[in-house]
Amino acid sequence: MCLAVPAKIIERSEFLGTVDISGVTREVSLMLLPDAVVGDYVLIHAGFAIQAIDEEEALRTLELFKELEQYETDS
């Protein structure tokens, strides 16, 4: 199973970008999304931004990830 994680682009330089994922920053390739700009939310998989998504969907997904963490620590 593959999992893509929502992230917000906070910096961009050519085809590389810095994204924020719940307070953690990562460098990713933006080669697949040449029109993505700072402030956009994207799905990250294996170091690549693979799809742009709207902010509401991104924040909802990140909130669900936080809920899953709660169940992991309760076990």
Side-chain angles (χ1 to χ4, degrees):
M1 174 173 68
C2 297
L3 180 66
V5 179
K8 183 177 185 177
I9 300 172
I10 56 173
E11 289 182 31
R12 182 179 179 127
S13 177
E14 298 289 326
F15 291 109
L16 292 177
T18 302
V19 296
D20 178 285
I21 307 167
S22 297
V24 177
T25 59
R26 295 280 188 250
E27 296 294 318
V28 300
S29 172
L30 298 171
M31 291 183 71
L32 299 174
L33 298 175
D35 296 330
V37 297
V38 171
D40 284 353
Y41 282 86
V42 293
L43 292 177
I44 306 298
H45 175 68
F48 288 85
I50 60 171
Q51 180 180 345
I53 59 172
D54 64 49
E55 181 177 8
E56 182 180 342
E57 181 178 351
L59 296 177
R60 185 173 57 239
T61 301
L62 290 170
E63 190 61 37
L64 289 171
F65 285 168
K66 286 180 186 176
E67 286 182 32
L68 288 173
E69 284 179 21
Q70 177 185 345
Y71 290 112
E72 180 66 27
T73 57
D74 287 347
S75 300

